[in-house]
Amino acid sequence: MATDGQFEYESILCVKPEVNVYRIPPRTSNRAIRAADWKLDAPDWTGRMRVTARGKVAYVKLEDKVSGELFAQAPVDEYPGVAVETVSDSSRYFVLRIMDDNGRTAFIGIGFGDRSDAFDFNVALQDHFKYEAQQTCFTTRGKNRSLSSRRLQRWRC
């Protein structure tokens, strides 16, 4: 694990060549978000999506297909959580909380043309945070070596 001032590796968890981005209407109530309320026939932007991880944080990066220029980025600290939300009426659409360099946030909708692409995206985030939880558990176990082996066997993360 990198300490202050050291370089931390960025690993690529998932790449999808085509993702659609939608402006979503503001929430009027606490009810679940529906993709049917978006203009699904006219996406506001189309590009490539890369899911990367640096340390414990995953990043959903939306990039131009040709130039690779960053369009938007969503840091994900936990999943499921506020940064990535599923919609109630489809498995192919999600709500992302994107963040700029100044810390300002906005919510956008993303959608995949194929369910398998949405599944891959979902599993990549789940696997990353499952791995990080296991690493935290192993680190904690290593610090508590004074515990008896019987207690360690009963302790499951």
Side-chain angles (χ1 to χ4, degrees):
M1 189 158 267
T3 58
D4 291 337
Q6 289 183 338
F7 178 75
E8 215 169 348
Y9 289 103
E10 181 176 70
S11 56
I12 298 175
L13 306 177
C14 178
V15 177
K16 291 297 165 190
E18 187 161 321
V19 63
N20 296 320
V21 173
Y22 304 93
R23 286 189 186 135
I24 60 174
R27 288 187 180 178
T28 56
S29 68
N30 206 13
R31 71 179 179 96
I33 299 172
R34 295 172 28 98
D37 297 338
W38 308 346
K39 296 177 184 173
L40 297 178
D41 56 340
D44 294 305
W45 185 84
T46 300
R48 175 179 66 196
M49 182 195 68
R50 274 192 318 141
V51 181
T52 62
R54 201 172 330 125
K56 294 184 181 206
V57 180
Y59 296 90
V60 179
K61 298 180 179 185
L62 304 174
E63 305 168 335
D64 184 71
K65 289 181 191 179
V66 178
S67 68
E69 181 182 354
L70 186 66
F71 171 73
Q73 176 173 283
V76 184
D77 296 327
E78 63 179 348
Y79 185 73
V82 177
V84 179
E85 297 178 59
T86 58
V87 297
S88 63
D89 60 341
S90 178
S91 62
R92 295 184 303 141
Y93 298 95
F94 299 86
V95 175
L96 282 184
R97 183 187 66 190
I98 58 173
M99 186 179 295
D100 68 5
D101 294 334
N102 298 328
R104 294 182 303 172
T105 62
F107 289 93
I108 61 171
I110 63 167
F112 299 94
D114 189 19
R115 280 194 186 112
S116 64
D117 289 340
F119 177 80
D120 293 344
F121 170 66
N122 198 9
V123 168
L125 289 173
Q126 286 176 353
D127 285 351
H128 169 71
F129 288 104
K130 184 177 179 182
Y131 172 79
E132 289 302 326
Q134 288 174 344
Q135 291 303 311
T136 301
C137 180
F138 292 143
T139 302
T140 305
R141 280 188 183 178
K143 290 179 181 176
N144 294 326
R145 290 190 188 272
S146 62
L147 295 174
S148 69
S149 61
R150 187 173 180 192
R151 282 181 59 197
L152 280 175
Q153 288 174 355
R154 283 189 286 151
W155 183 25
R156 306 231 188 268
C157 291

